[in-house]
Amino acid sequence: MNQRKNYLSYNALTRFKDKNGHYHFGADKEAIKCYLEDEIKPNTLTFDSLDEKLAYLKKHHYYDADLLESYDISFIHKIFEKAKQDVLPFQTFMGALKFYNSYALKTDDNKYYLEDFQDRALMNALFLAGGEEELALSILDDILKHRFQPATPTFLNAGKKRRGEFVSCYLLRIEDNMESISRAISTSLQLSKRGGGVALSLTNLREFGAPIKHIQNQATGIIPVMKLLEDSFSYANQLGQRQGAGAVYLHAHHPEVLTFLDSKRENADEKIRIKSLSLGLVIPDITFELAKANKDMALFSPYDIERVYGKPMSDISITEEYDKLLQNPNIKKTYIKARQLFQMIAELQFESGYPYILFEDTVNRRNPLHKEGRIVMSNLCTEIAQVNTASQFSEDLSFEELGQDVCCNLASINIAEAMLDGRHFESLITNSIKALDQVSRSSNLDCAPSIKKGNNANHALGLGAMNLHGFLATNGIYYDSREAIDFTNCFFYSMAYYAFKASMNLAKIHGAFQAFSQSAYADGSYFKKYTKELVEPETQQVRQLFKQYDFALPDQKDWQDLVADIKKYGLANSHLLAVAPTGSISYLSSCTPSLQPVVSPVEVRKEGKLGRVYVPAYQLSEENYKYYQRGAYDLGPEPIIDLVSTAQKHVDQAISLTLFMKEEASTRDLNRAYIQAYRQKCASIYYVRVRQEVLAGSESYADDEHFDDSKNCQSCMI
């Protein structure tokens, strides 16, 4: 007990000043040393040699023998030796705690650790390199130096014999028939068992009271389906390591939209109350237009739409068809006030953080595969924006027609560490795309045929970024400044260029993704924003930073040459970039999460039996403290939306956008933030978080499941 108090006491010192007014930021380093020496080292199984260790791990089915044997034994010795050299993997106590609590391999009886951070990084490098020795060494270096971090499912499972899948989360359509509903539930169970979060679209399900076999008032609506899904996710988890997690998306013009939202209220009737399932709302342009004009909005029967249009509700644009739908007497419609809907959304978000919001027309206008279908939903963390297409089933639930569903293969770049050596940036992005492509080509998705088909056809990836605030603060830039927007624009512009270049080169090996010839990539139209316009730093400070770090930005000629090559060779991957919340891996990498600002310079978390743990911001010091001092709640949503919308111009999917509101904020303030995000062409809104001071004297308190992917997004949040 005294040992535990020792490292916790050092960690707690981080947030206090000494008698001279200086913070004890160095105390967190002492906490790491004590934790590793007192807690980890005595409980780690040791071996006399590497050969003995590997033999044990293979014999007892901890490590995948086939993966290790795909490399020459001399190289295995070489890469293990490299992994152990001069590595300081943890920059914060929270990083060490997160790794050993959530990622490190343990004996089956849970008594002893079998690997450290270097071992886990190494097994990831071997897996992600797909047998290429030099690539494995390069990926290992990027992980150990915290430039590149795989998503939680990949980092947790790579190289293990008994494991879940490497994929972060999955998106499934449900059609308006019992076979599709049944298949979606069984598939969700299978995917949840393997450690993935699952999002499902309910938009096409007929509303409560709709006919069944032409008999009126028979349908029971969406709530019973939501209840079945919630129970399924509660039941299935990955060996108890990762709780099942699910989300359901519904279109804002579905007749049961108000009941859908009411299901999350704390005082909801138990018959409709949904406790653990996440909710997402798909909102088209017309809803905002009607609210602006203070008009009623029509809710349309999906049952009738499918019979009139010959296709499901999610496959038509409600914005484009709105007037025709209003005028059609064969489509049942009910009315609510558009502003009433937004008021209800805001009230519920203050109460629960839900619903997520996907701006339907915004993402579909950017959709490079619009000829293949529409984007009808997102995932548990709102950063995925891809096309789902419908499947058809026989009565025995076998497929009559196999549609395409979606999986998320995720990882994140640490912006601050990536910028330290600009000459390495192209190699970093190239290796990261190769690594994610390997995940897409190695995952076993047999339990979900529609997702397998979508993955095989598209090999879609989601490379993201984190530690934006960390980079800005350590380089003397305030988060809510012109320089911050300038840097964000240039960084993601460069990231997009090298990602597309890497995928083009992969297409030379694997061929182009299936629908490339029909995409906006093939004719070059997607890239006009780059070939026609020059992007370069607009502020002196950012211009100097890129020069300081020897970082050369692509120019128009680079893009023109790349587009010519893309037209010739294609792209191996239909999608490349998506920015996830990075809740867990940002702690693991000791950096600030995603693109959002820190809550405070020293965050306070409650970690189970340990109690409070203090997490200093990335490389926090007396010198840069002022750049962290105004946290997310003090900054408010406006500067966060500004930065996210700037990055979104270069991200082909979406960015998880969390809105932080002060305790005195009103629903009108939140509605204003929705409108700003919508007008600035953000793709989605993730959580809304409202500051609540619940710990006396603390700068912040983040005992919040929304920042722990093991409780929610499975690893988009990583």
Side-chain angles (χ1 to χ4, degrees), residues 178-451:
M178 192 65 75
E179 291 77 18
S180 182
I181 294 169
S182 300
R183 189 80 192 214
I185 292 170
S186 64
T187 301
S188 296
L189 281 165
Q190 290 292 333
L191 294 171
S192 188
K193 164 187 169 182
R194 289 159 174 80
V198 187
L200 305 102
S201 173
L202 304 182
T203 295
N204 297 330
L205 297 186
R206 69 190 72 188
E207 71 278 15
F208 181 86
I212 296 178
K213 295 183 177 180
H214 305 291
I215 303 173
Q216 297 295 320
N217 300 315
Q218 296 300 304
T220 55
I222 62 172
I223 295 296
V225 178
M226 293 167 68
K227 291 278 191 180
L228 288 167
L229 287 167
E230 184 167 57
D231 289 343
S232 299
F233 291 119
S234 299
Y235 179 74
N237 62 68
Q238 184 194 327
L239 299 175
Q241 288 182 291
R242 302 174 61 73
Q243 295 301 309
V248 286
Y249 278 81
L250 189 75
H251 199 281
H253 289 260
H254 188 284
E256 288 193 87
V257 64
L258 297 184
T259 304
F260 178 75
L261 296 175
D262 274 338
S263 70
K264 267 295 178 184
R265 291 191 183 276
E266 288 295 328
N267 61 352
D269 189 299
E270 285 300 318
K271 292 179 181 178
I272 70 165
R273 189 179 177 202
I274 297 297
K275 299 176 183 177
S276 59
L277 201 63
S278 301
L279 306 188
L281 205 58
V282 180
I283 304 181
D285 289 354
I286 187 65
T287 319
F288 283 95
E289 293 168 13
L290 293 169
K292 182 179 180 181
N294 197 19
K295 292 183 177 180
D296 290 346
M297 60 180 281
L299 310 179
F300 302 107
S301 166
Y303 175 85
D304 291 339
I305 286 176
E306 186 155 5
R307 276 142 191 82
V308 170
Y309 279 80
K311 54 185 175 181
M313 180 175 176
S314 62
D315 290 343
I316 69 170
S317 168
I318 297 297
T319 296
E320 293 176 6
E321 298 295 322
Y322 189 78
D323 289 338
K324 294 179 183 177
L325 290 165
L326 279 181
Q327 295 164 13
N328 194 319
N330 295 317
I331 296 177
K332 182 181 178 181
K333 52 196 73 74
T334 53
Y335 295 88
I336 61 173
K337 290 285 186 183
R339 290 187 181 179
Q340 175 195 354
L341 176 67
F342 282 103
Q343 175 72 16
M344 186 172 179
I345 293 169
E347 290 173 356
L348 186 60
Q349 286 184 324
F350 274 124
E351 185 175 324
S352 68
Y354 299 105
Y356 311 146
I357 293 173
L358 179 70
F359 299 117
E360 181 185 33
D361 292 310
T362 301
V363 294
N364 277 291
R365 276 190 290 270
R366 279 200 295 257
N367 178 12
L369 274 65
H370 63 273
K371 293 181 181 179
E372 294 297 299
R374 292 178 55 77
I375 297 167
V376 302
M377 61 185 297
S378 188
N379 65 319
L380 277 93
C381 298
T382 71
E383 80 276 11
I384 299 302
Q386 297 178 32
V387 172
N388 295 68
T389 60
S391 297
Q392 295 180 14
F393 303 92
S394 301
E395 289 185 356
D396 64 358
L397 305 190
S398 61
F399 286 89
E400 288 184 355
E401 182 177 332
L402 186 59
Q404 290 188 18
D405 283 309
V406 174
C407 63
C408 319
N409 306 302
L410 302 175
S412 291
I413 298 300
N414 182 331
I415 295 172
E417 299 298 328
M419 284 294 297
L420 288 178
D421 183 1
R423 291 171 297 178
H424 183 72
F425 189 70
E426 179 175 2
S427 173
L428 171 63
I429 300 302
T430 299
N431 291 345
S432 301
I433 293 296
K434 285 182 177 179
L436 283 177
D437 186 74
Q438 173 68 9
V439 173
S440 79
R441 296 177 193 275
S442 303
S443 297
N444 181 353
L445 300 171
D446 290 341
C447 70
S450 61
I451 288 175

Side-chain angles (χ1 to χ4, degrees), residues 51-117:
D51 289 335
E52 181 186 349
K53 177 177 181 176
L54 293 180
Y56 176 88
L57 293 172
K58 289 189 288 186
K59 177 182 178 182
H60 292 87
H61 306 292
Y62 291 111
Y63 275 178
D64 182 354
D66 291 339
L67 175 63
L68 291 167
E69 290 166 7
S70 67
Y71 292 88
D72 187 83
I73 188 62
S74 62
F75 177 74
I76 295 296
H77 278 267
K78 176 182 177 180
I79 197 169
F80 266 92
E81 183 179 345
K82 174 180 172 59
K84 302 298 182 181
Q85 292 176 351
D86 302 323
V87 174
L88 296 173
F90 306 116
Q91 301 302 312
T92 63
F93 168 67
M94 184 64 187
L97 185 68
K98 177 64 70 175
F99 174 76
Y100 283 104
N101 280 352
S102 302
Y103 295 92
L105 181 63
K106 292 183 178 181
T107 54
D108 290 340
D109 59 11
N110 216 35
K111 290 183 178 180
Y112 296 100
Y113 297 102
L114 292 169
E115 58 182 7
D116 55 20
F117 183 86

